[in-house]
Each structure stands twice: as C-alpha cells, then as structure tokens.
Amino acid sequence: MVKPPAEYAPTFAEITEYDHEHVTIYRKILDAAENKADWREAAGVILGIDPRQNPKRARHSYESHLARARWLAEQDHLRWLGHGR
C-alpha cells in the first residue's frame, strides 16, 4: 500500500525511506514541471491537495516535492531507485 505524501518532502542529504516510498510522486512532479503544467493542477492531481481550498499549503508542498525530485535527479538517485531519467 502506498502511503499518501507528507506535507513536505525530506531535506536530508541522503535517500530516505520516504524517498523510496514516493519515488513515483517525484517522477510525476518532474514530468509535470518539464511539461510546464500548472503547479495547481500538479498539486491537486499528484499530491491530492486542492489548491482552491488551501493555496498556500498546496504551493509549499508542491515546491518541496519538486525540489526533492530535482535533487534526486541531479544526484542520479532516481536512476538508482529504478526510475531513471
């Protein structure tokens, strides 16, 4: 069973259990950003946060997960986790 995403992604300099459990979310967020999808749509669809009801929470969660996804990709960790670029 996949756990729902946390409010914010981890910021540790190593791969966490959370990263292992949510690598698919990172992948989807990266794809959405690369395709220039609106962050509100990505927050709603990928993270399950309605940006109309809580825009600040949705934006912060989206930015947190996008930053983590980019860090994982830059460090080549997504490939190591089996979801390579």
Side-chain angles (χ1 to χ4, degrees):
M1 180 176 173
V2 176
K3 295 179 184 178
E7 188 82 15
Y8 300 103
T11 57
F12 302 110
E14 64 269 345
I15 297 173
T16 68
E17 184 177 333
Y18 182 89
D19 296 325
H20 283 279
E21 293 171 350
H22 295 90
V23 68
T24 302
I25 285 174
Y26 296 139
R27 196 69 213 144
K28 289 178 181 179
I29 289 224
L30 280 176
D31 289 344
E34 287 177 4
N35 289 315
K36 304 204 185 315
D38 187 281
W39 72 266
R40 290 171 284 266
E41 182 179 351
V45 172
I46 300 168
L47 298 173
I49 302 170
D50 185 346
R52 293 170 294 175
Q53 290 183 351
N54 199 332
K56 189 179 283 190
R57 177 177 168 243
R59 182 63 181 230
H60 288 296
S61 186
Y62 170 80
E63 293 291 339
S64 170
H65 283 86
L66 179 59
R68 186 65 172 185
R70 286 180 172 155
W71 178 80
L72 287 166
E74 289 167 3
Q75 302 300 315
D76 207 29
H77 293 318
L78 286 180
R79 185 177 320 281
W80 184 81
L81 290 170
H83 292 77
R85 282 210 154 282

